[in-house]
Coordinates of all heavy atoms in Angstrom, one line a residue:
M1 N 0.8 -1.2 0.0 CA 0.0 0.0 0.0 C 0.9 1.3 0.0 O 1.9 1.3 0.6 CB -0.9 0.0 1.2 CG -2.1 -0.8 1.1 SD -3.2 -0.7 2.5 CE -2.2 -1.7 3.7
L2 N 0.5 2.3 -0.7 CA 1.2 3.5 -0.8 C 0.4 4.6 -0.3 O -0.8 4.7 -0.5 CB 1.6 3.8 -2.2 CG 2.4 2.7 -3.0 CD1 2.7 3.1 -4.4 CD2 3.8 2.5 -2.2
A3 N 1.0 5.5 0.4 CA 0.4 6.8 0.9 C 1.2 7.9 0.3 O 2.4 7.9 0.3 CB 0.3 6.9 2.4
L4 N 0.5 8.8 -0.3 CA 1.3 9.9 -1.0 C 1.1 11.2 -0.2 O 0.0 11.5 0.3 CB 0.7 10.2 -2.4 CG 0.9 9.0 -3.4 CD1 0.3 9.4 -4.7 CD2 2.4 8.8 -3.6
F5 N 2.2 11.9 0.0 CA 2.1 13.2 0.6 C 3.2 14.1 0.0 O 4.2 13.6 -0.4 CB 2.2 13.2 2.1 CG 3.3 12.3 2.6 CD1 4.5 12.9 3.0 CD2 3.2 11.0 2.8 CE1 5.5 12.1 3.4 CE2 4.2 10.2 3.3 CZ 5.4 10.8 3.6
S6 N 2.9 15.3 -0.2 CA 3.8 16.2 -0.9 C 4.7 17.1 0.0 O 4.2 17.5 1.0 CB 3.1 17.0 -1.9 OG 2.1 17.8 -1.3
F7 N 5.9 17.2 -0.4 CA 6.8 18.2 0.2 C 7.2 19.1 -0.9 O 8.1 18.8 -1.7 CB 8.0 17.5 0.8 CG 7.8 16.8 2.0 CD1 7.4 15.4 2.0 CD2 7.9 17.4 3.2 CE1 7.1 14.8 3.2 CE2 7.7 16.7 4.4 CZ 7.3 15.4 4.3
G8 N 6.6 20.3 -1.0 CA 6.9 21.2 -2.2 C 6.6 20.5 -3.5 O 5.5 19.9 -3.6
A9 N 7.6 20.4 -4.3 CA 7.3 19.9 -5.7 C 7.5 18.3 -5.7 O 7.0 17.7 -6.6 CB 8.2 20.5 -6.7
L10 N 8.1 17.8 -4.6 CA 8.3 16.4 -4.6 C 7.2 15.6 -4.0 O 6.6 16.0 -3.0 CB 9.6 16.1 -3.8 CG 10.9 16.6 -4.4 CD1 12.0 16.4 -3.4 CD2 11.2 16.0 -5.7
A11 N 6.9 14.5 -4.5 CA 5.9 13.6 -3.9 C 6.6 12.4 -3.3 O 7.1 11.5 -4.0 CB 4.9 13.1 -5.0
E12 N 6.8 12.4 -2.0 CA 7.5 11.4 -1.4 C 6.5 10.3 -1.0 O 5.4 10.6 -0.5 CB 8.2 11.9 -0.2 CG 9.2 13.0 -0.6 CD 10.1 13.4 0.6 OE1 9.9 13.0 1.7 OE2 11.0 14.2 0.4
Q13 N 7.0 9.1 -1.1 CA 6.1 8.0 -0.8 C 6.4 7.3 0.6 O 7.5 7.3 1.0 CB 6.2 6.9 -1.9 CG 5.7 7.3 -3.2 CD 5.7 6.2 -4.2 OE1 6.6 5.3 -4.2 NE2 4.7 6.2 -5.1
L14 N 5.3 6.8 1.1 CA 5.5 6.0 2.4 C 5.0 4.6 2.0 O 3.9 4.4 1.7 CB 4.7 6.6 3.5 CG 4.6 5.8 4.8 CD1 6.0 5.7 5.4 CD2 3.6 6.5 5.8
V15 N 5.9 3.6 2.1 CA 5.6 2.3 1.7 C 5.4 1.4 2.9 O 6.3 1.5 3.8 CB 6.7 1.7 0.7 CG1 6.4 0.3 0.3 CG2 6.8 2.6 -0.5
D16 N 4.4 0.6 3.0 CA 4.1 -0.2 4.1 C 4.7 -1.6 3.9 O 4.4 -2.2 2.9 CB 2.6 -0.3 4.4 CG 2.2 0.9 5.1 OD1 2.7 1.2 6.3 OD2 1.3 1.6 4.6
V17 N 5.3 -2.2 5.0 CA 5.7 -3.6 5.0 C 5.0 -4.2 6.2 O 5.1 -3.7 7.4 CB 7.2 -3.7 5.1 CG1 7.6 -5.2 5.4 CG2 7.9 -3.2 3.9
R18 N 4.3 -5.3 6.0 CA 3.7 -6.0 7.1 C 4.6 -7.0 7.7 O 5.4 -7.6 7.0 CB 2.4 -6.8 6.6 CG 1.3 -5.9 6.0 CD 0.2 -6.8 5.4 NE -0.4 -7.6 6.4 CZ -1.5 -7.3 7.1 NH1 -2.0 -6.1 6.9 NH2 -2.0 -8.1 8.0
I19 N 4.6 -7.2 9.0 CA 5.3 -8.2 9.7 C 4.3 -9.2 10.2 O 3.4 -8.9 11.0 CB 6.2 -7.7 10.8 CG1 7.1 -6.6 10.4 CG2 7.0 -8.9 11.4 CD1 7.9 -6.0 11.5
E20 N 4.3 -10.4 9.6 CA 3.3 -11.4 9.9 C 3.8 -12.8 9.6 O 4.4 -13.0 8.6 CB 2.0 -11.1 9.1 CG 0.8 -11.7 9.6 CD -0.4 -11.1 8.9 OE1 -0.3 -10.6 7.8 OE2 -1.5 -11.0 9.5
G21 N 3.5 -13.7 10.5 CA 3.9 -15.1 10.2 C 5.4 -15.2 10.2 O 6.0 -16.0 9.4
Y22 N 6.1 -14.4 10.9 CA 7.6 -14.4 11.0 C 8.2 -14.1 9.6 O 9.2 -14.7 9.1 CB 8.2 -15.8 11.4 CG 8.0 -16.0 12.9 CD1 6.8 -16.5 13.4 CD2 9.0 -15.7 13.8 CE1 6.6 -16.6 14.8 CE2 8.8 -15.9 15.2 CZ 7.6 -16.4 15.7 OH 7.4 -16.5 17.0
Q23 N 7.5 -13.2 8.9 CA 7.9 -12.8 7.6 C 7.7 -11.3 7.4 O 6.8 -10.7 7.9 CB 7.2 -13.5 6.4 CG 7.5 -15.0 6.4 CD 6.8 -15.6 5.2 OE1 5.6 -15.3 4.9 NE2 7.4 -16.6 4.5
Y24 N 8.6 -10.7 6.6 CA 8.3 -9.3 6.1 C 7.6 -9.4 4.8 O 8.0 -10.2 3.9 CB 9.6 -8.5 5.9 CG 10.4 -8.4 7.1 CD1 11.6 -9.1 7.3 CD2 10.1 -7.5 8.1 CE1 12.4 -9.0 8.4 CE2 10.9 -7.3 9.3 CZ 12.0 -8.1 9.4 OH 12.8 -7.9 10.5
Q25 N 6.4 -8.7 4.7 CA 5.6 -8.9 3.4 C 5.3 -7.5 2.9 O 4.6 -6.7 3.6 CB 4.3 -9.6 3.8 CG 4.6 -11.0 4.3 CD 3.3 -11.7 4.7 OE1 2.2 -11.1 4.8 NE2 3.4 -12.9 5.0
P26 N 5.8 -7.1 1.7 CA 6.7 -7.9 0.9 C 8.1 -7.9 1.5 O 8.5 -6.9 2.1 CB 6.6 -7.2 -0.5 CG 6.4 -5.8 -0.1 CD 5.5 -5.8 1.1
A27 N 8.9 -8.9 1.2 CA 10.3 -9.0 1.7 C 11.2 -8.0 1.0 O 12.2 -7.7 1.5 CB 10.8 -10.4 1.5
E28 N 10.8 -7.6 -0.3 CA 11.6 -6.7 -1.0 C 10.8 -5.5 -1.5 O 9.7 -5.8 -2.0 CB 12.3 -7.4 -2.3 CG 13.1 -6.4 -3.1 CD 13.9 -7.0 -4.2 OE1 14.1 -8.3 -4.1 OE2 14.4 -6.3 -5.1
V29 N 11.2 -4.3 -1.2 CA 10.5 -3.1 -1.7 C 11.5 -2.2 -2.4 O 12.7 -2.2 -2.1 CB 9.8 -2.3 -0.6 CG1 8.7 -3.1 0.0 CG2 10.8 -1.9 0.5
T30 N 11.0 -1.6 -3.5 CA 11.8 -0.7 -4.2 C 11.2 0.7 -4.1 O 10.0 0.9 -4.4 CB 11.9 -1.1 -5.7 OG1 12.4 -2.4 -5.8 CG2 12.7 -0.1 -6.5
I31 N 12.0 1.6 -3.7 CA 11.5 3.0 -3.5 C 12.5 4.0 -4.1 O 13.6 3.5 -4.7 CB 11.4 3.3 -2.0 CG1 12.8 3.2 -1.3 CG2 10.3 2.5 -1.4 CD1 12.7 3.7 0.1
R32 N 12.2 5.3 -4.1 CA 13.2 6.3 -4.6 C 13.8 7.0 -3.4 O 13.2 7.0 -2.3 CB 12.5 7.3 -5.5 CG 12.0 6.6 -6.8 CD 11.4 7.7 -7.7 NE 10.4 8.5 -7.0 CZ 9.7 9.5 -7.6 NH1 10.1 9.9 -8.8 NH2 8.8 10.1 -7.0
A33 N 15.0 7.6 -3.6 CA 15.6 8.3 -2.5 C 14.6 9.4 -2.0 O 14.0 10.1 -2.8 CB 16.9 9.0 -3.1
G34 N 14.6 9.5 -0.7 CA 13.7 10.4 -0.1 C 12.3 9.8 0.4 O 11.6 10.4 1.2
D35 N 12.1 8.6 -0.1 CA 10.9 7.8 0.3 C 11.1 7.2 1.7 O 12.3 7.0 2.1 CB 10.5 6.8 -0.7 CG 10.0 7.3 -2.0 OD1 9.7 8.5 -2.0 OD2 9.9 6.6 -3.0
S36 N 10.0 6.8 2.3 CA 10.1 6.1 3.6 C 9.4 4.7 3.6 O 8.5 4.5 2.8 CB 9.4 7.0 4.7 OG 10.1 8.2 4.9
V37 N 9.9 3.9 4.5 CA 9.3 2.6 4.6 C 8.8 2.5 6.1 O 9.5 2.9 7.0 CB 10.2 1.4 4.3 CG1 9.6 0.1 4.6 CG2 10.7 1.5 2.9
R38 N 7.6 1.9 6.2 CA 7.0 1.8 7.6 C 6.7 0.3 7.8 O 6.0 -0.3 7.0 CB 5.7 2.6 7.7 CG 5.0 2.4 9.0 CD 3.8 3.3 9.2 NE 2.8 3.2 8.1 CZ 1.8 4.0 7.8 NH1 1.8 5.2 8.5 NH2 1.0 3.8 6.8
W39 N 7.3 -0.2 8.8 CA 7.0 -1.6 9.2 C 6.0 -1.7 10.3 O 6.2 -1.0 11.3 CB 8.3 -2.3 9.7 CG 9.3 -2.5 8.6 CD1 9.6 -3.7 7.9 CD2 10.3 -1.6 8.1 NE1 10.6 -3.5 7.0 CE2 11.1 -2.3 7.1 CE3 10.6 -0.2 8.4 CZ2 12.1 -1.6 6.4 CZ3 11.7 0.4 7.7 CH2 12.4 -0.3 6.8
T40 N 5.0 -2.5 10.2 CA 4.0 -2.7 11.2 C 3.9 -4.2 11.6 O 3.8 -5.0 10.7 CB 2.6 -2.1 10.8 OG1 2.8 -0.8 10.4 CG2 1.6 -2.3 11.9
N41 N 3.9 -4.4 12.9 CA 3.8 -5.8 13.4 C 2.3 -6.2 13.4 O 1.6 -5.7 14.2 CB 4.4 -5.9 14.7 CG 4.4 -7.3 15.2 OD1 3.9 -8.2 14.6 ND2 5.0 -7.5 16.4
H42 N 1.9 -7.2 12.6 CA 0.5 -7.7 12.6 C 0.4 -9.1 13.3 O -0.6 -9.8 13.1 CB 0.0 -7.8 11.2 CG -0.1 -6.4 10.5 ND1 -1.3 -5.7 10.7 CD2 0.7 -5.7 9.8 CE1 -1.2 -4.5 10.0 NE2 0.0 -4.5 9.4
E43 N 1.4 -9.5 14.0 CA 1.4 -10.7 14.7 C 0.4 -10.6 15.9 O 0.0 -9.5 16.3 CB 2.7 -11.1 15.3 CG 3.9 -11.2 14.4 CD 3.9 -12.6 13.7 OE1 2.9 -13.3 13.6 OE2 5.1 -12.8 13.1
K44 N -0.1 -11.7 16.4 CA -1.0 -11.7 17.5 C -0.2 -11.5 18.8 O -0.7 -10.8 19.8 CB -1.8 -13.0 17.6 CG -2.9 -13.1 16.6 CD -3.9 -14.2 16.9 CE -5.1 -14.1 16.0 NZ -4.7 -14.2 14.5
R45 N 1.0 -12.1 18.9 CA 1.7 -12.0 20.2 C 3.2 -11.9 20.1 O 3.9 -11.8 21.1 CB 1.3 -13.1 21.2 CG 1.4 -14.5 20.7 CD 0.9 -15.5 21.6 NE -0.6 -15.4 21.9 CZ -1.5 -16.0 21.1 NH1 -1.2 -16.7 20.1 NH2 -2.8 -15.8 21.3
T46 N 3.8 -12.1 18.9 CA 5.2 -12.1 18.8 C 5.7 -10.7 18.5 O 5.2 -10.0 17.7 CB 5.6 -13.0 17.7 OG1 5.0 -14.3 17.9 CG2 7.1 -13.2 17.6
S47 N 6.9 -10.3 19.1 CA 7.5 -9.0 18.8 C 8.7 -9.3 17.9 O 9.2 -10.3 17.8 CB 8.0 -8.3 20.1 OG 9.0 -9.1 20.8
H48 N 8.9 -8.2 17.1 CA 10.0 -8.3 16.1 C 10.7 -6.9 16.1 O 10.3 -6.0 16.7 CB 9.4 -8.5 14.7 CG 8.7 -9.8 14.6 ND1 9.4 -11.0 14.5 CD2 7.4 -10.1 14.5 CE1 8.5 -12.0 14.4 NE2 7.3 -11.5 14.4
S49 N 11.8 -6.9 15.3 CA 12.5 -5.6 15.1 C 12.9 -5.5 13.6 O 12.7 -6.5 12.8 CB 13.6 -5.4 16.0 OG 14.8 -6.3 15.7
V50 N 13.5 -4.4 13.3 CA 14.1 -4.2 11.9 C 15.5 -3.8 12.1 O 15.8 -2.7 12.7 CB 13.3 -3.2 11.1 CG1 13.9 -2.9 9.8 CG2 11.8 -3.6 11.0
L51 N 16.5 -4.5 11.7 CA 17.9 -4.3 12.0 C 18.7 -4.2 10.7 O 18.7 -5.2 9.9 CB 18.5 -5.4 12.9 CG 19.8 -5.3 13.6 CD1 20.0 -6.2 14.7 CD2 21.0 -5.4 12.6
F52 N 19.5 -3.2 10.5 CA 20.3 -3.0 9.3 C 21.7 -3.2 9.7 O 22.4 -2.3 10.2 CB 20.1 -1.6 8.8 CG 18.7 -1.3 8.3 CD1 17.7 -0.8 9.1 CD2 18.4 -1.6 6.9 CE1 16.5 -0.6 8.6 CE2 17.1 -1.3 6.4 CZ 16.1 -0.8 7.3
P53 N 22.3 -4.4 9.5 CA 23.6 -4.7 10.0 C 24.7 -3.9 9.3 O 25.8 -3.6 9.9 CB 23.8 -6.2 9.6 CG 22.8 -6.5 8.6 CD 21.7 -5.6 8.8
R54 N 24.5 -3.5 8.0 CA 25.5 -2.7 7.3 C 25.4 -1.2 7.5 O 26.0 -0.4 6.9 CB 25.5 -3.1 5.8 CG 26.4 -4.3 5.6 CD 26.5 -4.6 4.1 NE 25.5 -5.6 3.7 CZ 24.9 -5.6 2.5 NH1 25.1 -4.6 1.7 NH2 24.0 -6.5 2.2
D55 N 24.4 -0.8 8.3 CA 24.2 0.6 8.5 C 24.5 0.9 10.0 O 23.7 1.6 10.7 CB 22.7 0.9 8.3 CG 22.5 1.8 7.0 OD1 23.5 2.3 6.6 OD2 21.4 1.9 6.5
G56 N 25.7 0.5 10.4 CA 26.1 0.7 11.8 C 25.2 -0.1 12.8 O 25.2 0.3 13.9
G57 N 24.5 -1.1 12.3 CA 23.7 -1.9 13.2 C 22.4 -1.2 13.6 O 21.9 -1.5 14.7
L58 N 22.0 -0.2 12.8 CA 20.8 0.6 13.2 C 19.6 -0.4 13.3 O 19.4 -1.3 12.5 CB 20.4 1.5 12.0 CG 19.1 2.2 12.1 CD1 19.1 3.2 13.3 CD2 18.7 2.9 10.8
E59 N 18.9 -0.3 14.5 CA 17.8 -1.2 14.8 C 16.6 -0.4 15.3 O 16.9 0.4 16.2 CB 18.3 -2.3 15.7 CG 17.2 -3.4 16.0 CD 17.7 -4.5 16.9 OE1 18.8 -4.4 17.5 OE2 16.9 -5.5 17.0
S60 N 15.5 -0.8 14.9 CA 14.2 -0.3 15.5 C 14.2 -0.7 16.9 O 14.8 -1.7 17.4 CB 13.0 -0.8 14.7 OG 12.8 -2.1 15.0
E61 N 13.3 -0.1 17.7 CA 12.9 -0.7 18.9 C 12.2 -1.9 18.7 O 11.7 -2.2 17.6 CB 12.0 0.3 19.7 CG 12.6 1.6 20.1 CD 11.8 2.5 21.0 OE1 10.6 2.2 21.0 OE2 12.3 3.3 21.6
R62 N 12.0 -2.8 19.7 CA 11.2 -4.0 19.6 C 9.8 -3.6 19.3 O 9.2 -2.8 20.1 CB 11.3 -4.9 20.9 CG 10.8 -6.2 20.7 CD 11.7 -7.1 19.8 NE 13.0 -7.3 20.3 CZ 13.3 -8.3 21.1 NH1 12.4 -9.2 21.5 NH2 14.6 -8.5 21.6
L63 N 9.2 -4.1 18.2 CA 7.9 -3.8 17.8 C 6.9 -4.9 18.3 O 7.0 -6.0 17.9 CB 7.8 -3.7 16.3 CG 8.7 -2.7 15.6 CD1 8.5 -2.8 14.1 CD2 8.4 -1.3 16.1
F64 N 6.0 -4.4 19.3 CA 5.0 -5.4 19.8 C 3.8 -5.3 18.8 O 3.7 -4.5 17.9 CB 4.7 -5.0 21.2 CG 5.8 -5.3 22.1 CD1 6.8 -4.4 22.4 CD2 5.9 -6.6 22.7 CE1 7.8 -4.7 23.3 CE2 6.9 -6.9 23.5 CZ 7.9 -6.0 23.8
P65 N 2.9 -6.3 18.9 CA 1.8 -6.3 18.0 C 1.1 -4.9 17.9 O 0.8 -4.3 18.9 CB 0.9 -7.3 18.6 CG 1.8 -8.3 19.2 CD 2.9 -7.5 19.8
Q66 N 0.8 -4.6 16.6 CA 0.2 -3.3 16.2 C 1.1 -2.1 16.3 O 0.7 -1.0 15.9 CB -1.1 -3.0 17.0 CG -2.0 -4.2 17.0 CD -2.3 -4.8 15.7 OE1 -2.5 -4.0 14.7 NE2 -2.3 -6.1 15.5
E67 N 2.4 -2.3 16.7 CA 3.3 -1.2 16.7 C 4.0 -1.1 15.4 O 4.2 -2.1 14.6 CB 4.3 -1.3 17.8 CG 3.7 -1.1 19.2 CD 4.7 -1.1 20.3 OE1 5.8 -1.8 20.2 OE2 4.5 -0.5 21.3
S68 N 4.4 0.1 15.0 CA 5.1 0.3 13.8 C 6.3 1.2 13.9 O 6.5 1.9 15.0 CB 4.2 0.9 12.7 OG 3.7 2.2 13.0
W69 N 7.2 1.2 12.9 CA 8.4 2.0 12.9 C 8.7 2.3 11.5 O 8.5 1.6 10.6 CB 9.5 1.2 13.5 CG 10.9 1.9 13.5 CD1 11.3 2.8 14.5 CD2 12.0 1.6 12.7 NE1 12.6 3.2 14.2 CE2 13.0 2.5 13.1 CE3 12.2 0.8 11.6 CZ2 14.3 2.5 12.5 CZ3 13.5 0.8 11.0 CH2 14.5 1.6 11.4
Q70 N 9.2 3.6 11.3 CA 9.5 3.9 9.9 C 10.9 4.6 9.8 O 11.4 5.1 10.7 CB 8.4 4.8 9.3 CG 8.3 6.2 9.8 CD 7.1 6.9 9.1 OE1 6.0 6.5 9.3 NE2 7.4 7.9 8.4
R71 N 11.4 4.5 8.6 CA 12.7 5.0 8.3 C 12.7 5.6 6.9 O 12.1 5.1 6.0 CB 13.8 3.9 8.4 CG 15.1 4.5 8.0 CD 16.2 3.4 8.0 NE 17.5 4.0 7.5 CZ 18.6 3.3 7.1 NH1 18.5 2.0 7.2 NH2 19.6 3.9 6.7
R72 N 13.3 6.8 6.8 CA 13.4 7.5 5.5 C 14.8 7.2 5.0 O 15.7 7.2 5.7 CB 13.2 9.0 5.8 CG 13.2 9.9 4.5 CD 12.8 11.3 4.9 NE 12.6 12.2 3.7 CZ 13.6 12.9 3.2 NH1 14.8 12.9 3.7 NH2 13.3 13.6 2.1
F73 N 14.8 6.9 3.7 CA 16.0 6.5 3.0 C 16.5 7.7 2.1 O 15.8 8.0 1.1 CB 15.8 5.3 2.2 CG 15.6 4.1 3.1 CD1 14.3 3.8 3.5 CD2 16.6 3.2 3.5 CE1 14.1 2.7 4.4 CE2 16.4 2.2 4.3 CZ 15.1 1.9 4.7
E74 N 17.6 8.3 2.4 CA 18.1 9.4 1.7 C 19.0 9.1 0.5 O 19.0 9.8 -0.5 CB 19.0 10.3 2.6 CG 18.4 10.5 4.0 CD 17.4 11.7 4.0 OE1 17.3 12.3 2.9 OE2 16.7 11.9 5.0
K75 N 19.7 7.9 0.6 CA 20.7 7.6 -0.4 C 20.3 6.4 -1.2 O 20.0 5.3 -0.6 CB 22.1 7.5 0.2 CG 22.6 8.7 0.8 CD 24.0 8.4 1.5 CE 24.5 9.6 2.2 NZ 25.8 9.3 3.0
P76 N 20.5 6.4 -2.5 CA 20.3 5.2 -3.3 C 21.2 4.0 -2.8 O 22.3 4.3 -2.3 CB 20.7 5.6 -4.7 CG 20.5 7.1 -4.8 CD 20.9 7.5 -3.4
G77 N 20.7 2.8 -3.0 CA 21.5 1.7 -2.6 C 20.6 0.5 -2.2 O 19.4 0.6 -2.3
R78 N 21.3 -0.5 -1.8 CA 20.6 -1.8 -1.3 C 20.7 -1.9 0.2 O 21.8 -1.9 0.7 CB 21.2 -3.0 -2.1 CG 20.5 -4.3 -1.7 CD 21.2 -5.4 -2.4 NE 20.7 -6.7 -1.9 CZ 19.7 -7.4 -2.4 NH1 19.1 -6.9 -3.4 NH2 19.3 -8.5 -1.8
Y79 N 19.6 -1.9 0.9 CA 19.6 -2.0 2.3 C 19.0 -3.3 2.8 O 17.8 -3.4 3.0 CB 18.8 -0.8 2.9 CG 19.3 0.6 2.6 CD1 19.1 1.2 1.3 CD2 20.1 1.3 3.5 CE1 19.7 2.4 1.0 CE2 20.6 2.6 3.2 CZ 20.4 3.1 2.0 OH 20.9 4.3 1.7
D80 N 19.9 -4.3 3.1 CA 19.5 -5.5 3.6 C 19.2 -5.4 5.0 O 19.9 -4.7 5.8 CB 20.5 -6.6 3.4 CG 20.7 -7.0 1.9 OD1 19.8 -7.7 1.4 OD2 21.7 -6.6 1.3
Y81 N 18.2 -6.1 5.5 CA 17.9 -6.0 7.0 C 17.4 -7.4 7.4 O 17.0 -8.2 6.6 CB 16.9 -4.9 7.3 CG 15.5 -5.1 6.7 CD1 14.5 -5.8 7.4 CD2 15.1 -4.5 5.4 CE1 13.2 -5.9 6.8 CE2 13.9 -4.6 4.9 CZ 12.9 -5.4 5.6 OH 11.7 -5.5 5.1
H82 N 17.3 -7.5 8.7 CA 16.7 -8.8 9.3 C 16.2 -8.4 10.6 O 16.4 -7.3 11.1 CB 17.7 -9.9 9.3 CG 18.9 -9.7 10.2 ND1 18.9 -9.7 11.6 CD2 20.2 -9.3 9.9 CE1 20.1 -9.5 12.1 NE2 20.9 -9.1 11.1
C83 N 15.4 -9.4 11.2 CA 14.9 -9.2 12.5 C 15.9 -9.4 13.6 O 16.7 -10.4 13.5 CB 13.7 -10.1 12.7 SG 12.9 -10.0 14.3
G84 N 16.0 -8.6 14.6 CA 17.0 -8.8 15.6 C 16.9 -10.1 16.4 O 17.8 -10.9 16.4
P85 N 15.7 -10.4 17.0 CA 15.6 -11.6 17.7 C 15.4 -12.9 16.8 O 15.5 -14.0 17.3 CB 14.3 -11.4 18.5 CG 13.6 -10.3 17.9 CD 14.6 -9.4 17.2
H86 N 15.1 -12.7 15.5 CA 14.9 -13.8 14.6 C 15.6 -13.5 13.3 O 15.1 -13.1 12.3 CB 13.4 -14.0 14.2 CG 12.4 -13.9 15.4 ND1 11.6 -12.8 15.6 CD2 12.2 -14.8 16.4 CE1 10.9 -13.1 16.7 NE2 11.3 -14.3 17.2
P87 N 17.0 -13.8 13.3 CA 17.8 -13.4 12.2 C 17.5 -14.1 10.9 O 17.9 -13.7 9.8 CB 19.2 -13.9 12.7 CG 19.1 -14.0 14.1 CD 17.7 -14.4 14.4
E88 N 16.6 -15.2 10.9 CA 16.2 -15.9 9.7 C 15.2 -15.1 9.0 O 14.9 -15.3 7.8 CB 15.7 -17.3 10.0 CG 14.4 -17.3 10.8 CD 14.5 -17.1 12.3 OE1 15.6 -16.7 12.8 OE2 13.5 -17.3 13.0
M89 N 14.6 -14.1 9.6 CA 13.6 -13.2 8.9 C 14.4 -12.1 8.2 O 15.1 -11.3 8.8 CB 12.7 -12.5 9.9 CG 11.7 -13.4 10.6 SD 10.8 -12.5 11.9 CE 10.1 -11.2 11.0
K90 N 14.3 -12.1 6.9 CA 15.1 -11.2 6.1 C 14.3 -10.3 5.1 O 13.3 -10.8 4.6 CB 16.2 -11.9 5.3 CG 17.2 -12.7 6.1 CD 18.2 -13.5 5.2 CE 19.0 -14.4 6.0 NZ 19.9 -13.8 6.9
G91 N 14.8 -9.2 4.9 CA 14.1 -8.3 3.9 C 15.2 -7.3 3.3 O 16.3 -7.3 3.7
V92 N 14.7 -6.6 2.2 CA 15.6 -5.7 1.6 C 14.8 -4.5 1.1 O 13.7 -4.7 0.6 CB 16.5 -6.3 0.5 CG1 15.6 -6.9 -0.6 CG2 17.5 -5.3 -0.1
V93 N 15.4 -3.3 1.3 CA 14.9 -2.1 0.7 C 15.9 -1.6 -0.4 O 17.1 -1.5 -0.1 CB 14.7 -1.0 1.7 CG1 14.2 0.3 1.1 CG2 13.8 -1.4 2.9
V94 N 15.4 -1.6 -1.6 CA 16.2 -1.1 -2.8 C 15.8 0.3 -3.1 O 14.6 0.6 -3.4 CB 16.0 -2.0 -4.0 CG1 16.8 -1.5 -5.2 CG2 16.4 -3.4 -3.7
V95 N 16.8 1.2 -2.9 CA 16.5 2.6 -3.1 C 17.2 3.1 -4.4 O 18.4 3.0 -4.6 CB 17.1 3.4 -1.9 CG1 16.7 5.0 -2.1 CG2 16.6 2.9 -0.6
G96 N 16.3 3.5 -5.3 CA 16.8 4.0 -6.6 C 17.0 5.5 -6.5 O 16.9 6.2 -5.5
E97 N 17.4 6.1 -7.7 CA 17.7 7.5 -7.7 C 16.5 8.4 -7.4 O 15.4 8.0 -7.8 CB 18.3 7.9 -9.1 CG 19.6 7.2 -9.4 CD 20.8 7.7 -8.6 OE1 20.7 8.8 -8.1 OE2 21.8 7.0 -8.5
Ligands
CU1 CU1 11.3 -11.3 14.5

């Protein structure tokens, strides 16, 4: 799902990723520089996080059910991430120009 909001002439996007069934859905999102991604935990009782090991280990707070966290991506590149407590849960944000 996409939500649009404008900052001057630019239309920056907010892209939603669901966390459910020990998976990020979708596991891969492609955005443009300046866009944001918001992760929301839709589990019934399991908490998760979003951890970027190559970004200085930047990690969200632990997200309990119905909580969300978002990050704005300024620079193009490939941002692999995984869940802190469940490293087998993986996702990637691909940021284009
Ligand atoms: Cu997890």
Side-chain angles (χ1 to χ4, degrees):
M1 278 182 288
L2 300 177
L4 295 176
F5 45 97
S6 59
F7 285 88
L10 294 175
E12 300 187 355
Q13 292 187 326
L14 174 61
V15 178
D16 279 301
V17 172
R18 296 173 65 90
I19 306 176
E20 197 165 27
Y22 288 81
Q23 291 182 326
Y24 297 106
Q25 301 174 350
E28 177 170 344
V29 294
T30 301
I31 60 172
R32 292 186 304 176
D35 291 345
S36 298
V37 178
R38 175 173 60 196
W39 289 264
T40 302
N41 184 357
H42 292 275
E43 303 276 21
K44 285 194 170 57
R45 52 184 67 84
T46 307
S47 64
H48 298 286
S49 73
V50 180
L51 192 165
F52 295 89
R54 276 185 262 145
D55 250 343
L58 172 68
E59 184 175 11
S60 69
E61 292 187 345
R62 191 67 65 87
L63 301 177
F64 290 90
Q66 307 314 315
E67 290 185 330
S68 63
W69 179 77
Q70 71 183 63
R71 178 184 174 188
R72 186 170 184 268
F73 293 85
E74 312 279 352
K75 296 179 184 173
R78 180 184 170 90
Y79 297 79
D80 289 288
Y81 64 88
H82 61 80
C83 178
H86 313 108
E88 69 278 10
M89 290 174 58
K90 296 178 191 299
V92 60
V93 177
V94 178
V95 183
E97 298 289 339

